[in-house]
Amino acid sequence: MASAQVVVQQVLVMFFLLGIGILIRRLGWVTEAAARQFSNLLLMIVFPALLIEVYQRPFIPEQFLEQLISMGLAVVFHLLAIAVSHLCIRPRAHHAYRIERLAAVYSNCGFMGFPLLFALLGDEGLFYGVAFSGVFNLVFWIHGAKTCSLDNRLQKKNIVLNPGCIGFLIGFLLYLTQLPLPAFLSDTIAHVANLNTPLAMIITGIFLANIHWKELWADAPIWRACLLRNVGLPLVMFILLRCIGFASWFTGASDIVLAHLIACACPSAASTILLAAKRNMDSAHGAKILALSTLLSILTLPAIVLLVQTV
């Protein structure tokens, strides 16, 4: 129960940060165009810095093995999520279904997940979370970039030459080699990484400012995407892990399960609307899904945590 309360508190923090974004947009202090520019800053600089920062830790063989296992679980989840989303969200004349698929598959594992993981599991939670996030970035910039391309073409450079993968690879190599960074550089990376959660949520709030909330309640495609993201896909992964008895495989496996399912159960990724905005797609549609998904997470995230810890 204590863990669920921590999750509720963290989700409320996210909402207050969203509220700041909504407020400054409605007061006219920041334009949506400016938010798009800050989105690039977040995607290109801040999040890669966070991935590098998390890997600034001593190399311990047992933890390295757990990192690889966490990556393997993340690969399984994303492949399942892509398959289920394609079955449940069918193509329509308008490209909104592409954004719905993205919103269903990709969780806010970095912007929202990292604070939750740290609050529940400390540095170990972040370590497991960055494994999930590394896979997220690789798949997002392959499948996600292709999904947001109206001609379904994938630029090969997006597979590795994207900010998320570059940040992950740099951090992972520094972790493996244990090469120390100069103090001024590591401090700079840490300061930039600390912008991750507040900047992401405030930017998202700016995009949410013009949403008519009454439109959400009767929009079936938005509800379908949100229920898949918040409930359906995490439950699929939970059932799979329970069936194979993963939590009893080795010491610490139960913490990996909790960290992994929190990452799976986070609301829709802010990256969904950031990428949609970058590709000049209907970012407002993505913002509606993000708004409802984040709202539902006040109930669904604590419920998932309770389920993992009691079943």
Side-chain angles (χ1 to χ4, degrees), residues 47 50 107-115 129 132-133 136 196-197 263 266:
F47 195 60
L50 178 63
S107 72
N108 206 342
C109 61
F111 303 145
M112 180 174 282
F114 279 16
F132 189 97
S133 183
F136 166 101
N196 176 66
T197 298
C266 283

Side-chain angles (χ1 to χ4, degrees), residues 150-311:
L150 297 183
D151 58 6
N152 284 318
R153 294 179 61 187
L154 173 66
Q155 295 182 350
K156 292 181 179 179
K157 66 179 182 180
N158 282 332
I159 296 177
V160 176
L161 297 180
N162 65 76
C165 283
I166 290 173
F168 171 74
L169 290 174
I170 292 174
F172 195 59
L173 287 174
L174 289 173
Y175 171 67
L176 290 178
T177 60
Q178 290 294 288
L179 289 175
L181 292 175
F184 72 89
L185 184 55
S186 62
D187 288 348
T188 300
I189 291 172
H191 285 306
V192 174
N194 287 335
L195 295 172
N196 176 66
T197 298
L199 186 59
M201 291 299 100
I202 290 171
I203 290 172
T204 302
I206 293 170
F207 285 120
L208 297 180
N210 295 325
I211 286 179
H212 300 291
W213 290 85
K214 292 181 180 179
E215 297 176 359
L216 299 180
W217 310 121
D219 196 321
I222 286 178
W223 275 95
R224 178 177 54 205
C226 290
L227 291 176
L228 267 178
R229 164 89 306 280
N230 289 47
V231 181
L233 293 173
L235 284 180
V236 168
M237 197 63 193
F238 173 75
I239 292 169
L240 174 62
L241 291 174
R242 286 287 296 174
C243 286
I244 65 176
F246 179 84
S248 62
W249 283 12
F250 55 89
T251 303
S254 59
D255 284 345
I256 292 179
V257 169
L258 178 59
H260 183 77
L261 288 174
I262 287 174
C264 293
C266 283
S268 294
S271 302
T272 299
I273 62 172
L274 300 182
L275 183 60
K278 189 175 178 65
R279 297 296 177 88
N280 294 316
M281 297 182 73
D282 187 3
S283 57
H285 188 65
K288 290 177 183 179
I289 298 173
L290 178 59
L292 182 58
S293 178
T294 305
L295 181 63
L296 291 175
S297 70
I298 293 179
L299 299 176
T300 58
L301 257 174
I304 292 293
V305 172
L306 282 174
L307 181 67
V308 173
Q309 293 185 326
T310 58
V311 176

